[in-house]
PDB file of all heavy atoms in Angstrom:
ATOM      1  N   GLU A   4    -152.627  20.826 -95.549  1.00 44.00           N
ATOM      2  CA  GLU A   4    -151.952  21.860 -94.765  1.00 44.00           C
ATOM      3  C   GLU A   4    -151.477  21.309 -93.436  1.00 44.00           C
ATOM      4  O   GLU A   4    -152.180  20.551 -92.761  1.00 44.00           O
ATOM      5  CB  GLU A   4    -152.884  23.036 -94.559  1.00 44.00           C
ATOM      6  CG  GLU A   4    -152.976  23.883 -95.806  1.00 44.00           C
ATOM      7  CD  GLU A   4    -154.199  24.789 -95.780  1.00 44.00           C
ATOM      8  OE1 GLU A   4    -154.883  24.835 -94.745  1.00 44.00           O
ATOM      9  OE2 GLU A   4    -154.442  25.423 -96.813  1.00 44.00           O
ATOM     10  N   ARG A  13    -141.536  21.268 -89.255  1.00 38.00           N
ATOM     11  CA  ARG A  13    -140.673  22.171 -90.050  1.00 38.00           C
ATOM     12  C   ARG A  13    -139.276  21.593 -90.160  1.00 38.00           C
ATOM     13  O   ARG A  13    -138.736  21.103 -89.175  1.00 38.00           O
ATOM     14  CB  ARG A  13    -140.587  23.534 -89.417  1.00 38.00           C
ATOM     15  CG  ARG A  13    -141.892  24.230 -89.369  1.00 38.00           C
ATOM     16  CD  ARG A  13    -141.808  25.575 -90.053  1.00 38.00           C
ATOM     17  NE  ARG A  13    -143.132  26.013 -90.407  1.00 38.00           N
ATOM     18  CZ  ARG A  13    -143.742  25.676 -91.520  1.00 38.00           C
ATOM     19  NH1 ARG A  13    -143.133  24.907 -92.403  1.00 38.00           N
ATOM     20  NH2 ARG A  13    -144.943  26.097 -91.777  1.00 38.00           N
ATOM     21  N   LYS A  20    -142.179  32.381 -82.893  1.00 51.00           N
ATOM     22  CA  LYS A  20    -142.122  33.094 -81.638  1.00 51.00           C
ATOM     23  C   LYS A  20    -142.204  32.127 -80.440  1.00 51.00           C
ATOM     24  O   LYS A  20    -141.425  32.204 -79.515  1.00 51.00           O
ATOM     25  CB  LYS A  20    -143.245  34.111 -81.543  1.00 51.00           C
ATOM     26  CG  LYS A  20    -142.690  35.459 -81.153  1.00 51.00           C
ATOM     27  CD  LYS A  20    -143.753  36.532 -81.267  1.00 51.00           C
ATOM     28  CE  LYS A  20    -143.102  37.858 -81.517  1.00 51.00           C
ATOM     29  NZ  LYS A  20    -144.025  38.872 -81.958  1.00 51.00           N
ATOM     30  N   PHE A 126    -127.392  58.451 -86.454  1.00 88.00           N
ATOM     31  CA  PHE A 126    -127.488  59.857 -86.859  1.00 88.00           C
ATOM     32  C   PHE A 126    -126.194  60.405 -87.441  1.00 88.00           C
ATOM     33  O   PHE A 126    -126.182  61.431 -88.099  1.00 88.00           O
ATOM     34  CB  PHE A 126    -127.959  60.699 -85.675  1.00 88.00           C
ATOM     35  CG  PHE A 126    -129.318  60.291 -85.176  1.00 88.00           C
ATOM     36  CD1 PHE A 126    -129.472  59.605 -83.986  1.00 88.00           C
ATOM     37  CD2 PHE A 126    -130.438  60.583 -85.936  1.00 88.00           C
ATOM     38  CE1 PHE A 126    -130.730  59.216 -83.554  1.00 88.00           C
ATOM     39  CE2 PHE A 126    -131.702  60.195 -85.522  1.00 88.00           C
ATOM     40  CZ  PHE A 126    -131.851  59.507 -84.326  1.00 88.00           C
ATOM     41  N   GLU A 191    -131.206  46.533 -97.071  1.00 86.00           N
ATOM     42  CA  GLU A 191    -132.275  46.891 -98.000  1.00 86.00           C
ATOM     43  C   GLU A 191    -133.630  46.965 -97.301  1.00 86.00           C
ATOM     44  O   GLU A 191    -134.487  47.739 -97.706  1.00 86.00           O
ATOM     45  CB  GLU A 191    -132.317  45.875 -99.157  1.00 86.00           C
ATOM     46  CG  GLU A 191    -132.424  46.608-100.477  1.00 86.00           C
ATOM     47  CD  GLU A 191    -132.044  45.749-101.648  1.00 86.00           C
ATOM     48  OE1 GLU A 191    -131.992  44.525-101.507  1.00 86.00           O
ATOM     49  OE2 GLU A 191    -131.800  46.318-102.721  1.00 86.00           O
ATOM     50  N   PHE A 192    -133.815  46.166 -96.238  1.00 89.00           N
ATOM     51  CA  PHE A 192    -135.141  46.237 -95.615  1.00 89.00           C
ATOM     52  C   PHE A 192    -135.401  47.571 -94.931  1.00 89.00           C
ATOM     53  O   PHE A 192    -136.538  47.970 -94.745  1.00 89.00           O
ATOM     54  CB  PHE A 192    -135.403  45.044 -94.679  1.00 89.00           C
ATOM     55  CG  PHE A 192    -134.494  44.965 -93.460  1.00 89.00           C
ATOM     56  CD1 PHE A 192    -134.736  45.750 -92.364  1.00 89.00           C
ATOM     57  CD2 PHE A 192    -133.445  44.064 -93.446  1.00 89.00           C
ATOM     58  CE1 PHE A 192    -133.924  45.645 -91.245  1.00 89.00           C
ATOM     59  CE2 PHE A 192    -132.633  43.967 -92.328  1.00 89.00           C
ATOM     60  CZ  PHE A 192    -132.870  44.751 -91.244  1.00 89.00           C
ATOM     61  N   ALA A 195    -136.430  49.667 -97.854  1.00 88.00           N
ATOM     62  CA  ALA A 195    -137.767  49.240 -98.230  1.00 88.00           C
ATOM     63  C   ALA A 195    -138.808  49.832 -97.290  1.00 88.00           C
ATOM     64  O   ALA A 195    -139.893  50.226 -97.695  1.00 88.00           O
ATOM     65  CB  ALA A 195    -137.857  47.713 -98.226  1.00 88.00           C
ATOM     66  N   SER A 196    -138.433  49.912 -96.024  1.00 89.00           N
ATOM     67  CA  SER A 196    -139.361  50.448 -95.044  1.00 89.00           C
ATOM     68  C   SER A 196    -139.533  51.951 -95.209  1.00 89.00           C
ATOM     69  O   SER A 196    -140.650  52.476 -95.119  1.00 89.00           O
ATOM     70  CB  SER A 196    -138.850  50.114 -93.639  1.00 89.00           C
ATOM     71  OG  SER A 196    -139.750  50.519 -92.676  1.00 89.00           O
ATOM     72  N   VAL A 197    -138.419  52.637 -95.484  1.00 88.00           N
ATOM     73  CA  VAL A 197    -138.506  54.085 -95.758  1.00 88.00           C
ATOM     74  C   VAL A 197    -139.387  54.283 -96.989  1.00 88.00           C
ATOM     75  O   VAL A 197    -140.225  55.196 -97.042  1.00 88.00           O
ATOM     76  CB  VAL A 197    -137.111  54.673 -96.028  1.00 88.00           C
ATOM     77  CG1 VAL A 197    -137.230  56.160 -96.368  1.00 88.00           C
ATOM     78  CG2 VAL A 197    -136.233  54.521 -94.821  1.00 88.00           C
ATOM     79  N   ALA A 198    -139.234  53.382 -97.941  1.00 87.00           N
ATOM     80  CA  ALA A 198    -140.000  53.506 -99.195  1.00 87.00           C
ATOM     81  C   ALA A 198    -141.489  53.275 -99.001  1.00 87.00           C
ATOM     82  O   ALA A 198    -142.276  53.606 -99.864  1.00 87.00           O
ATOM     83  CB  ALA A 198    -139.452  52.532-100.242  1.00 87.00           C
ATOM     84  N   THR A 199    -141.884  52.705 -97.877  1.00 88.00           N
ATOM     85  CA  THR A 199    -143.313  52.574 -97.633  1.00 88.00           C
ATOM     86  C   THR A 199    -143.837  53.728 -96.790  1.00 88.00           C
ATOM     87  O   THR A 199    -144.985  53.746 -96.376  1.00 88.00           O
ATOM     88  CB  THR A 199    -143.680  51.260 -96.924  1.00 88.00           C
ATOM     89  OG1 THR A 199    -142.945  51.199 -95.701  1.00 88.00           O
ATOM     90  CG2 THR A 199    -143.359  50.070 -97.761  1.00 88.00           C
ATOM     91  N   GLY A 200    -142.982  54.722 -96.528  1.00 86.00           N
ATOM     92  CA  GLY A 200    -143.447  55.927 -95.887  1.00 86.00           C
ATOM     93  C   GLY A 200    -143.309  55.945 -94.370  1.00 86.00           C
ATOM     94  O   GLY A 200    -143.947  56.762 -93.717  1.00 86.00           O
ATOM     95  N   VAL A 201    -142.485  55.074 -93.811  1.00 88.00           N
ATOM     96  CA  VAL A 201    -142.309  55.062 -92.350  1.00 88.00           C
ATOM     97  C   VAL A 201    -141.280  56.147 -91.965  1.00 88.00           C
ATOM     98  O   VAL A 201    -140.233  56.228 -92.574  1.00 88.00           O
ATOM     99  CB  VAL A 201    -141.826  53.693 -91.875  1.00 88.00           C
ATOM    100  CG1 VAL A 201    -141.679  53.663 -90.374  1.00 88.00           C
ATOM    101  CG2 VAL A 201    -142.785  52.626 -92.340  1.00 88.00           C
ATOM    102  N   PRO A 202    -141.602  56.971 -90.941  1.00 88.00           N
ATOM    103  CA  PRO A 202    -140.642  57.988 -90.525  1.00 88.00           C
ATOM    104  C   PRO A 202    -139.361  57.365 -89.987  1.00 88.00           C
ATOM    105  O   PRO A 202    -139.379  56.274 -89.427  1.00 88.00           O
ATOM    106  CB  PRO A 202    -141.364  58.732 -89.401  1.00 88.00           C
ATOM    107  CG  PRO A 202    -142.799  58.376 -89.549  1.00 88.00           C
ATOM    108  CD  PRO A 202    -142.861  57.066 -90.204  1.00 88.00           C
ATOM    109  N   ARG A 203    -138.250  58.085 -90.152  1.00 85.00           N
ATOM    110  CA  ARG A 203    -136.951  57.508 -89.804  1.00 85.00           C
ATOM    111  C   ARG A 203    -136.805  57.150 -88.332  1.00 85.00           C
ATOM    112  O   ARG A 203    -136.185  56.146 -87.977  1.00 85.00           O
ATOM    113  CB  ARG A 203    -135.843  58.481 -90.205  1.00 85.00           C
ATOM    114  CG  ARG A 203    -135.589  58.398 -91.692  1.00 85.00           C
ATOM    115  CD  ARG A 203    -134.448  59.272 -92.137  1.00 85.00           C
ATOM    116  NE  ARG A 203    -134.524  59.420 -93.599  1.00 85.00           N
ATOM    117  CZ  ARG A 203    -133.924  58.606 -94.445  1.00 85.00           C
ATOM    118  NH1 ARG A 203    -133.207  57.605 -94.019  1.00 85.00           N
ATOM    119  NH2 ARG A 203    -134.067  58.787 -95.735  1.00 85.00           N
ATOM    120  N   GLN A 205    -139.107  56.228 -86.359  1.00 89.00           N
ATOM    121  CA  GLN A 205    -139.882  55.001 -86.103  1.00 89.00           C
ATOM    122  C   GLN A 205    -139.111  53.784 -86.605  1.00 89.00           C
ATOM    123  O   GLN A 205    -139.198  52.712 -86.029  1.00 89.00           O
ATOM    124  CB  GLN A 205    -141.211  55.123 -86.852  1.00 89.00           C
ATOM    125  CG  GLN A 205    -142.311  54.290 -86.273  1.00 89.00           C
ATOM    126  CD  GLN A 205    -143.640  54.628 -86.938  1.00 89.00           C
ATOM    127  OE1 GLN A 205    -143.964  55.790 -87.151  1.00 89.00           O
ATOM    128  NE2 GLN A 205    -144.387  53.617 -87.312  1.00 89.00           N
ATOM    129  N   LYS A 209    -138.415  50.455 -84.592  1.00 87.00           N
ATOM    130  CA  LYS A 209    -139.083  49.236 -85.086  1.00 87.00           C
ATOM    131  C   LYS A 209    -138.123  48.272 -85.771  1.00 87.00           C
ATOM    132  O   LYS A 209    -138.293  47.075 -85.663  1.00 87.00           O
ATOM    133  CB  LYS A 209    -140.194  49.628 -86.068  1.00 87.00           C
ATOM    134  CG  LYS A 209    -141.563  49.557 -85.421  1.00 87.00           C
ATOM    135  CD  LYS A 209    -142.620  49.118 -86.389  1.00 87.00           C
ATOM    136  CE  LYS A 209    -142.629  47.610 -86.594  1.00 87.00           C
ATOM    137  NZ  LYS A 209    -143.664  47.194 -87.515  1.00 87.00           N
ATOM    138  N   HIS A 210    -137.152  48.809 -86.517  1.00 89.00           N
ATOM    139  CA  HIS A 210    -136.328  47.907 -87.303  1.00 89.00           C
ATOM    140  C   HIS A 210    -134.898  47.762 -86.804  1.00 89.00           C
ATOM    141  O   HIS A 210    -134.305  46.709 -86.908  1.00 89.00           O
ATOM    142  CB  HIS A 210    -136.302  48.368 -88.771  1.00 89.00           C
ATOM    143  CG  HIS A 210    -137.593  48.132 -89.466  1.00 89.00           C
ATOM    144  ND1 HIS A 210    -137.974  46.898 -89.926  1.00 89.00           N
ATOM    145  CD2 HIS A 210    -138.626  48.958 -89.759  1.00 89.00           C
ATOM    146  CE1 HIS A 210    -139.155  46.973 -90.492  1.00 89.00           C
ATOM    147  NE2 HIS A 210    -139.574  48.227 -90.381  1.00 89.00           N
ATOM    148  N   PRO A 213    -134.750  46.053 -82.581  1.00 88.00           N
ATOM    149  CA  PRO A 213    -134.924  44.607 -82.411  1.00 88.00           C
ATOM    150  C   PRO A 213    -133.786  43.798 -83.009  1.00 88.00           C
ATOM    151  O   PRO A 213    -133.449  42.727 -82.485  1.00 88.00           O
ATOM    152  CB  PRO A 213    -136.226  44.336 -83.174  1.00 88.00           C
ATOM    153  CG  PRO A 213    -136.917  45.629 -83.227  1.00 88.00           C
ATOM    154  CD  PRO A 213    -135.863  46.681 -83.297  1.00 88.00           C
ATOM    155  N   ASN A 214    -133.150  44.314 -84.046  1.00 88.00           N
ATOM    156  CA  ASN A 214    -132.039  43.584 -84.647  1.00 88.00           C
ATOM    157  C   ASN A 214    -130.763  43.709 -83.832  1.00 88.00           C
ATOM    158  O   ASN A 214    -129.798  42.985 -84.080  1.00 88.00           O
ATOM    159  CB  ASN A 214    -131.800  44.085 -86.071  1.00 88.00           C
ATOM    160  CG  ASN A 214    -132.707  43.390 -87.072  1.00 88.00           C
ATOM    161  OD1 ASN A 214    -132.632  42.179 -87.240  1.00 88.00           O
ATOM    162  ND2 ASN A 214    -133.586  44.152 -87.684  1.00 88.00           N
TER     163      ASN A 214
ATOM    164  N   MET B  57    -138.421  58.546-105.575  1.00 90.00           N
ATOM    165  CA  MET B  57    -138.918  58.154-104.255  1.00 90.00           C
ATOM    166  C   MET B  57    -138.498  59.124-103.162  1.00 90.00           C
ATOM    167  O   MET B  57    -138.925  58.997-102.029  1.00 90.00           O
ATOM    168  CB  MET B  57    -138.394  56.753-103.870  1.00 90.00           C
ATOM    169  CG  MET B  57    -138.950  55.613-104.646  1.00 90.00           C
ATOM    170  SD  MET B  57    -140.726  55.451-104.418  1.00 90.00           S
ATOM    171  CE  MET B  57    -140.836  54.722-102.774  1.00 90.00           C
ATOM    172  N   LEU B  59    -135.456  59.264-101.979  1.00 87.00           N
ATOM    173  CA  LEU B  59    -134.608  58.455-101.105  1.00 87.00           C
ATOM    174  C   LEU B  59    -133.136  58.684-101.351  1.00 87.00           C
ATOM    175  O   LEU B  59    -132.298  57.856-101.004  1.00 87.00           O
ATOM    176  CB  LEU B  59    -134.927  56.968-101.290  1.00 87.00           C
ATOM    177  CG  LEU B  59    -136.302  56.507-100.821  1.00 87.00           C
ATOM    178  CD1 LEU B  59    -136.478  55.028-101.114  1.00 87.00           C
ATOM    179  CD2 LEU B  59    -136.460  56.762 -99.336  1.00 87.00           C
ATOM    180  N   GLU B  62    -129.429  61.617 -97.662  1.00 78.00           N
ATOM    181  CA  GLU B  62    -129.696  62.975 -97.222  1.00 78.00           C
ATOM    182  C   GLU B  62    -128.502  63.900 -97.279  1.00 78.00           C
ATOM    183  O   GLU B  62    -128.593  65.045 -97.736  1.00 78.00           O
ATOM    184  CB  GLU B  62    -130.175  62.944 -95.766  1.00 78.00           C
ATOM    185  CG  GLU B  62    -131.671  62.755 -95.633  1.00 78.00           C
ATOM    186  CD  GLU B  62    -132.017  62.473 -94.192  1.00 78.00           C
ATOM    187  OE1 GLU B  62    -131.849  63.362 -93.358  1.00 78.00           O
ATOM    188  OE2 GLU B  62    -132.433  61.330 -93.936  1.00 78.00           O
ATOM    189  N   LYS B  63    -127.369  63.406 -96.777  1.00 79.00           N
ATOM    190  CA  LYS B  63    -126.269  64.328 -96.600  1.00 79.00           C
ATOM    191  C   LYS B  63    -125.440  64.530 -97.860  1.00 79.00           C
ATOM    192  O   LYS B  63    -124.879  65.595 -98.078  1.00 79.00           O
ATOM    193  CB  LYS B  63    -125.365  63.869 -95.454  1.00 79.00           C
ATOM    194  CG  LYS B  63    -126.033  64.274 -94.151  1.00 79.00           C
ATOM    195  CD  LYS B  63    -125.368  63.707 -92.932  1.00 79.00           C
ATOM    196  CE  LYS B  63    -126.239  64.031 -91.736  1.00 79.00           C
ATOM    197  NZ  LYS B  63    -126.518  62.876 -90.911  1.00 79.00           N
ATOM    198  N   ARG B  88    -143.600  61.526 -97.176  1.00 90.00           N
ATOM    199  CA  ARG B  88    -143.932  60.263 -96.544  1.00 90.00           C
ATOM    200  C   ARG B  88    -145.351  59.814 -96.892  1.00 90.00           C
ATOM    201  O   ARG B  88    -145.631  58.626 -96.940  1.00 90.00           O
ATOM    202  CB  ARG B  88    -143.813  60.401 -95.023  1.00 90.00           C
ATOM    203  CG  ARG B  88    -142.605  59.747 -94.483  1.00 90.00           C
ATOM    204  CD  ARG B  88    -142.629  59.823 -92.972  1.00 90.00           C
ATOM    205  NE  ARG B  88    -141.636  60.747 -92.504  1.00 90.00           N
ATOM    206  CZ  ARG B  88    -141.819  61.612 -91.494  1.00 90.00           C
ATOM    207  NH1 ARG B  88    -142.967  61.675 -90.877  1.00 90.00           N
ATOM    208  NH2 ARG B  88    -140.836  62.378 -91.119  1.00 90.00           N
ATOM    209  N   ARG B  91    -144.895  58.222-100.408  1.00 90.00           N
ATOM    210  CA  ARG B  91    -144.125  56.965-100.411  1.00 90.00           C
ATOM    211  C   ARG B  91    -144.962  55.812 -99.907  1.00 90.00           C
ATOM    212  O   ARG B  91    -145.552  55.904 -98.832  1.00 90.00           O
ATOM    213  CB  ARG B  91    -142.930  57.077 -99.498  1.00 90.00           C
ATOM    214  CG  ARG B  91    -141.750  57.673-100.130  1.00 90.00           C
ATOM    215  CD  ARG B  91    -140.599  57.567 -99.155  1.00 90.00           C
ATOM    216  NE  ARG B  91    -139.757  58.733 -99.290  1.00 90.00           N
ATOM    217  CZ  ARG B  91    -139.325  59.459 -98.281  1.00 90.00           C
ATOM    218  NH1 ARG B  91    -139.630  59.125 -97.049  1.00 90.00           N
ATOM    219  NH2 ARG B  91    -138.550  60.494 -98.507  1.00 90.00           N
ATOM    220  N   GLY B  92    -144.979  54.742-100.647  1.00 87.00           N
ATOM    221  CA  GLY B  92    -145.711  53.570-100.190  1.00 87.00           C
ATOM    222  C   GLY B  92    -147.188  53.691-100.395  1.00 87.00           C
ATOM    223  O   GLY B  92    -147.910  52.709-100.350  1.00 87.00           O
ATOM    224  N   PHE B  99    -137.583  46.143-104.658  1.00 86.00           N
ATOM    225  CA  PHE B  99    -136.132  46.157-104.738  1.00 86.00           C
ATOM    226  C   PHE B  99    -135.576  44.905-105.378  1.00 86.00           C
ATOM    227  O   PHE B  99    -136.273  43.920-105.555  1.00 86.00           O
ATOM    228  CB  PHE B  99    -135.549  46.363-103.375  1.00 86.00           C
ATOM    229  CG  PHE B  99    -135.882  47.697-102.776  1.00 86.00           C
ATOM    230  CD1 PHE B  99    -137.049  47.886-102.064  1.00 86.00           C
ATOM    231  CD2 PHE B  99    -135.046  48.782-102.980  1.00 86.00           C
ATOM    232  CE1 PHE B  99    -137.373  49.107-101.543  1.00 86.00           C
ATOM    233  CE2 PHE B  99    -135.378  50.023-102.480  1.00 86.00           C
ATOM    234  CZ  PHE B  99    -136.522  50.181-101.759  1.00 86.00           C
ATOM    235  N   GLU B 101    -133.092  42.848-104.281  1.00 83.00           N
ATOM    236  CA  GLU B 101    -132.652  41.719-103.459  1.00 83.00           C
ATOM    237  C   GLU B 101    -133.779  41.268-102.532  1.00 83.00           C
ATOM    238  O   GLU B 101    -133.911  41.804-101.437  1.00 83.00           O
ATOM    239  CB  GLU B 101    -131.509  42.229-102.596  1.00 83.00           C
ATOM    240  CG  GLU B 101    -130.154  41.562-102.666  1.00 83.00           C
ATOM    241  CD  GLU B 101    -130.049  40.203-103.278  1.00 83.00           C
ATOM    242  OE1 GLU B 101    -130.757  39.290-102.802  1.00 83.00           O
ATOM    243  OE2 GLU B 101    -129.211  40.021-104.179  1.00 83.00           O
ATOM    244  N   THR B 104    -132.741  40.290 -98.799  1.00 85.00           N
ATOM    245  CA  THR B 104    -132.410  41.241 -97.723  1.00 85.00           C
ATOM    246  C   THR B 104    -133.420  42.353 -97.579  1.00 85.00           C
ATOM    247  O   THR B 104    -133.238  43.257 -96.792  1.00 85.00           O
ATOM    248  CB  THR B 104    -131.016  41.874 -97.978  1.00 85.00           C
ATOM    249  OG1 THR B 104    -131.055  42.485 -99.281  1.00 85.00           O
ATOM    250  CG2 THR B 104    -129.919  40.861 -97.949  1.00 85.00           C
ATOM    251  N   SER B 105    -134.504  42.278 -98.361  1.00 88.00           N
ATOM    252  CA  SER B 105    -135.453  43.374 -98.310  1.00 88.00           C
ATOM    253  C   SER B 105    -136.476  43.216 -97.195  1.00 88.00           C
ATOM    254  O   SER B 105    -137.335  44.079 -97.006  1.00 88.00           O
ATOM    255  CB  SER B 105    -136.207  43.521 -99.626  1.00 88.00           C
ATOM    256  OG  SER B 105    -135.283  43.728-100.660  1.00 88.00           O
ATOM    257  N   ASN B 107    -137.100  42.402 -93.085  1.00 89.00           N
ATOM    258  CA  ASN B 107    -136.446  42.377 -91.773  1.00 89.00           C
ATOM    259  C   ASN B 107    -136.528  40.973 -91.179  1.00 89.00           C
ATOM    260  O   ASN B 107    -137.638  40.461 -90.977  1.00 89.00           O
ATOM    261  CB  ASN B 107    -137.140  43.399 -90.874  1.00 89.00           C
ATOM    262  CG  ASN B 107    -136.393  43.639 -89.602  1.00 89.00           C
ATOM    263  OD1 ASN B 107    -135.635  42.785 -89.136  1.00 89.00           O
ATOM    264  ND2 ASN B 107    -136.615  44.781 -89.006  1.00 89.00           N
ATOM    265  N   VAL B 109    -136.287  39.758 -88.287  1.00 85.00           N
ATOM    266  CA  VAL B 109    -136.839  39.489 -86.939  1.00 85.00           C
ATOM    267  C   VAL B 109    -138.354  39.662 -86.885  1.00 85.00           C
ATOM    268  O   VAL B 109    -138.937  39.455 -85.830  1.00 85.00           O
ATOM    269  CB  VAL B 109    -136.170  40.367 -85.860  1.00 85.00           C
ATOM    270  CG1 VAL B 109    -134.689  40.102 -85.800  1.00 85.00           C
ATOM    271  CG2 VAL B 109    -136.448  41.820 -86.053  1.00 85.00           C
ATOM    272  N   PHE B 110    -138.973  40.043 -87.980  1.00 88.00           N
ATOM    273  CA  PHE B 110    -140.431  40.211 -87.939  1.00 88.00           C
ATOM    274  C   PHE B 110    -141.134  39.233 -88.861  1.00 88.00           C
ATOM    275  O   PHE B 110    -140.603  38.847 -89.887  1.00 88.00           O
ATOM    276  CB  PHE B 110    -140.812  41.628 -88.339  1.00 88.00           C
ATOM    277  CG  PHE B 110    -140.453  42.652 -87.299  1.00 88.00           C
ATOM    278  CD1 PHE B 110    -139.610  43.688 -87.619  1.00 88.00           C
ATOM    279  CD2 PHE B 110    -140.953  42.540 -86.025  1.00 88.00           C
ATOM    280  CE1 PHE B 110    -139.281  44.629 -86.662  1.00 88.00           C
ATOM    281  CE2 PHE B 110    -140.643  43.477 -85.069  1.00 88.00           C
ATOM    282  CZ  PHE B 110    -139.778  44.520 -85.376  1.00 88.00           C
ATOM    283  N   GLU B 114    -146.325  41.322 -89.780  1.00 90.00           N
ATOM    284  CA  GLU B 114    -145.912  42.529 -89.056  1.00 90.00           C
ATOM    285  C   GLU B 114    -145.315  43.553 -90.008  1.00 90.00           C
ATOM    286  O   GLU B 114    -145.533  44.759 -89.861  1.00 90.00           O
ATOM    287  CB  GLU B 114    -144.895  42.166 -87.977  1.00 90.00           C
ATOM    288  CG  GLU B 114    -145.521  41.544 -86.747  1.00 90.00           C
ATOM    289  CD  GLU B 114    -144.490  40.910 -85.800  1.00 90.00           C
ATOM    290  OE1 GLU B 114    -143.484  40.353 -86.286  1.00 90.00           O
ATOM    291  OE2 GLU B 114    -144.691  40.977 -84.605  1.00 90.00           O
ATOM    292  N   GLU B 118    -147.084  47.574 -91.917  1.00 89.00           N
ATOM    293  CA  GLU B 118    -146.455  48.899 -91.793  1.00 89.00           C
ATOM    294  C   GLU B 118    -147.065  49.976 -92.708  1.00 89.00           C
ATOM    295  O   GLU B 118    -147.500  51.006 -92.219  1.00 89.00           O
ATOM    296  CB  GLU B 118    -144.964  48.781 -92.047  1.00 89.00           C
ATOM    297  CG  GLU B 118    -144.146  49.556 -91.064  1.00 89.00           C
ATOM    298  CD  GLU B 118    -142.683  49.168 -91.083  1.00 89.00           C
ATOM    299  OE1 GLU B 118    -142.165  48.882 -92.179  1.00 89.00           O
ATOM    300  OE2 GLU B 118    -142.073  49.157 -90.019  1.00 89.00           O
ATOM    301  N   GLN B 122    -149.415  53.197 -91.690  1.00 87.00           N
ATOM    302  CA  GLN B 122    -148.882  54.507 -91.998  1.00 87.00           C
ATOM    303  C   GLN B 122    -149.890  55.332 -92.784  1.00 87.00           C
ATOM    304  O   GLN B 122    -150.033  56.528 -92.554  1.00 87.00           O
ATOM    305  CB  GLN B 122    -147.593  54.322 -92.810  1.00 87.00           C
ATOM    306  CG  GLN B 122    -146.580  55.407 -92.618  1.00 87.00           C
ATOM    307  CD  GLN B 122    -146.139  55.464 -91.164  1.00 87.00           C
ATOM    308  OE1 GLN B 122    -145.872  54.464 -90.532  1.00 87.00           O
ATOM    309  NE2 GLN B 122    -146.065  56.674 -90.618  1.00 87.00           N
ATOM    310  N   HIS B 123    -150.563  54.693 -93.716  1.00 90.00           N
ATOM    311  CA  HIS B 123    -151.368  55.472 -94.677  1.00 90.00           C
ATOM    312  C   HIS B 123    -152.856  55.298 -94.535  1.00 90.00           C
ATOM    313  O   HIS B 123    -153.610  56.052 -95.097  1.00 90.00           O
ATOM    314  CB  HIS B 123    -150.935  55.116 -96.094  1.00 90.00           C
ATOM    315  CG  HIS B 123    -149.483  55.354 -96.378  1.00 90.00           C
ATOM    316  ND1 HIS B 123    -148.935  56.605 -96.350  1.00 90.00           N
ATOM    317  CD2 HIS B 123    -148.457  54.513 -96.662  1.00 90.00           C
ATOM    318  CE1 HIS B 123    -147.647  56.508 -96.621  1.00 90.00           C
ATOM    319  NE2 HIS B 123    -147.329  55.248 -96.801  1.00 90.00           N
ATOM    320  N   GLU B 153    -145.395  33.767 -90.723  1.00 89.00           N
ATOM    321  CA  GLU B 153    -144.073  33.155 -90.810  1.00 89.00           C
ATOM    322  C   GLU B 153    -142.993  34.230 -90.922  1.00 89.00           C
ATOM    323  O   GLU B 153    -143.275  35.396 -91.197  1.00 89.00           O
ATOM    324  CB  GLU B 153    -144.019  32.213 -92.014  1.00 89.00           C
ATOM    325  CG  GLU B 153    -144.743  30.909 -91.726  1.00 89.00           C
ATOM    326  CD  GLU B 153    -144.770  29.969 -92.892  1.00 89.00           C
ATOM    327  OE1 GLU B 153    -144.045  30.196 -93.876  1.00 89.00           O
ATOM    328  OE2 GLU B 153    -145.526  28.994 -92.820  1.00 89.00           O
TER     329      GLU B 153
END
Side-chain angles (χ1 to χ4, degrees):
Chain A
E4 282 162 7
R13 297 236 160 274
K20 231 172 206 165
F126 298 107
E191 226 162 17
F192 64 79
S196 185
V197 178
T199 57
V201 182
R203 282 183 196 270
Q205 204 172 317
K209 258 214 80 179
H210 288 282
N214 276 297
Chain B
M57 289 298 284
L59 292 178
E62 272 169 68
K63 280 172 189 130
R88 254 185 251 140
R91 273 187 216 132
F99 295 87
E101 238 344 303
T104 56
S105 302
N107 190 336
V109 301
F110 289 121
E114 284 168 324
E118 224 166 37
Q122 211 61 44
H123 301 296
E153 284 178 12

